[in-house]
Amino acid sequence: MSTFYAVGGVISEASNQDVLYEKAVVCKVDLTTKAKEIVFSWKTRPENAPVDKVSSVFKAAHFKFDIAYLCTLTEVLICKVPSFEVVKVISLPVFNDLHYVHPTKNNTLLVVSTGLDAVFEIDLEGNLLNEWSALQNNIWDRFDKSVDYRKVESTKPHESHPNYCFELDGEIYATRFHQHDAICLTADKPKFNIEIGRIHDGVQANGDLHFTEVTGHVVRFKDCNPDKKEVYKLGEFYNINNALGWCRSIEPINSNEMLVGFSMFRATNIVGNLRGFVRDVFKGEILPTRVAKIDLDKKLVIDEVKLKPELNTVFSIHLI
């Protein structure tokens, strides 16, 4: 199981303090041979983006059988796999800074609209079915239903910054970057407290629930139980003091081995634009964008493959 898709984007050469992506990319990668091939690229349609700053990047995707569910900042794409023929593009005014799209058991889609601190459920025709605030309040107390948020460059600062969602025991959960947790949106259930830092993902596999934390941790909840938390500091796996890069995206191979993605810090941000929680752990050289195969039990990096120049940033990983 050495071949996978890495999903993300290529940063524009003109991008400086503001990160603008030139194109969204799906890259096929062979960890053993280190071969890389861009199998699909996409540019956000101008009608679905702010007028002056079109940024084209795929955030976290979901692959299910022969279908890929991809999202740009303002669009959901449904594609056939492995041809990546685009079957449908859905874009709605409530889409701003999308971070993940998830197909449900009910043949609907959950879309994480990070810019609105919300999760929306839509059908495959793009009709809105449900909406949930990641802050557990009314979305429209802060935002205006009459605004087309696809045209709004940024709604930052976000109060929650949800970036992933998942289904567990028939309920819907969302991760919350700023609150360091994952909460149930649809019922009164115990939350998953990450506590150590800002989280991504929420991938279920082998009966467990897996998260990454951006400064370089993997957090696993055994049996998907909020009381069975295991924390792994990946810097110890590397035996170095360097910041590992933006750690986000995880794909379990088996109960112990995982693929984990790291996106390279940009030099302009290292100098003065990174948030303190990243700058404080930065030491030494800037490590490249890459995917590592790790063993949690052995606390070992088994292998790595660099993703540049095909990808500057990786948001999700999917075994083929």
Side-chain angles (χ1 to χ4, degrees), residues 238-256:
Y238 279 86
N239 195 29
I240 59 175
N241 290 323
N242 298 62
L244 302 179
W246 286 96
C247 178
R248 54 192 171 200
S249 65
I250 187 167
E251 176 77 320
I253 300 170
N254 54 46
S255 58
N256 295 316

Side-chain angles (χ1 to χ4, degrees), residues 37 49 51 64 72 149 169-170 179 186 189 202 209 234 256 301:
E37 176 190 6
V51 174
K64 186 176 182 180
T72 69
Y149 283 97
D169 296 331
Q179 284 77 25
T186 52
K189 298 282 187 179
L209 185 59
L234 301 185
N256 295 316
V301 178

Side-chain angles (χ1 to χ4, degrees), residues 24-162:
V25 168
V26 178
C27 185
K28 185 178 180 180
V29 183
D30 189 312
L31 183 63
T32 302
T33 67
K34 315 305 180 190
K36 295 169 288 182
E37 176 190 6
I38 294 177
V39 293
F40 181 55
S41 63
W42 177 265
K43 292 197 175 184
T44 300
R45 293 175 175 176
E47 63 267 27
N48 298 329
V51 174
D52 296 327
K53 290 189 176 181
V54 179
S55 191
S56 299
V57 60
F58 287 135
K59 295 298 181 78
H62 191 103
F63 283 66
K64 186 176 182 180
F65 306 121
D66 59 348
I67 299 293
Y69 301 88
L70 306 166
C71 66
T72 69
L73 299 178
T74 57
E75 301 163 317
V76 168
L77 280 67
I78 302 175
C79 301
K80 293 181 180 179
V81 177
S83 68
F84 286 93
E85 174 191 346
V86 178
V87 176
K88 184 169 290 187
V89 178
I90 301 171
S91 187
L92 301 176
V94 295
F95 288 0
N96 181 283
D97 196 11
L98 301 188
H99 269 55
Y100 179 53
V101 56
H102 177 85
T104 72
K105 296 176 182 178
N106 297 324
N107 204 32
T108 63
L109 300 176
L110 299 175
V111 182
V112 182
S113 187
T114 303
L116 270 63
D117 282 328
V119 176
F120 294 95
E121 183 178 20
I122 64 174
D123 64 22
L124 297 181
E125 300 304 316
N127 299 302
L128 277 170
L129 304 176
N130 286 298
E131 59 186 40
W132 299 274
S133 167
L135 295 163
Q136 298 178 302
N137 57 13
N138 190 328
I139 299 168
W140 308 111
D141 286 344
R142 292 174 53 217
F143 299 102
D144 186 342
K145 277 189 175 182
S146 67
V147 172
D148 186 345
Y149 283 97
R150 295 170 297 186
K151 299 296 183 181
V152 177
E153 181 185 339
S154 176
T155 60
K156 290 181 179 180
H158 302 153
E159 292 188 14
S160 173
H161 195 87

Side-chain angles (χ1 to χ4, degrees), residues 180-182 192-197 199 211 213 219 221 229 231:
H180 310 176
D181 63 16
F192 292 88
N193 275 314
I194 308 300
E195 298 177 319
I196 58 169
I199 66 167
F211 299 90
E213 187 276 326
V219 180
F221 289 89
K229 181 171 66 175
V231 178

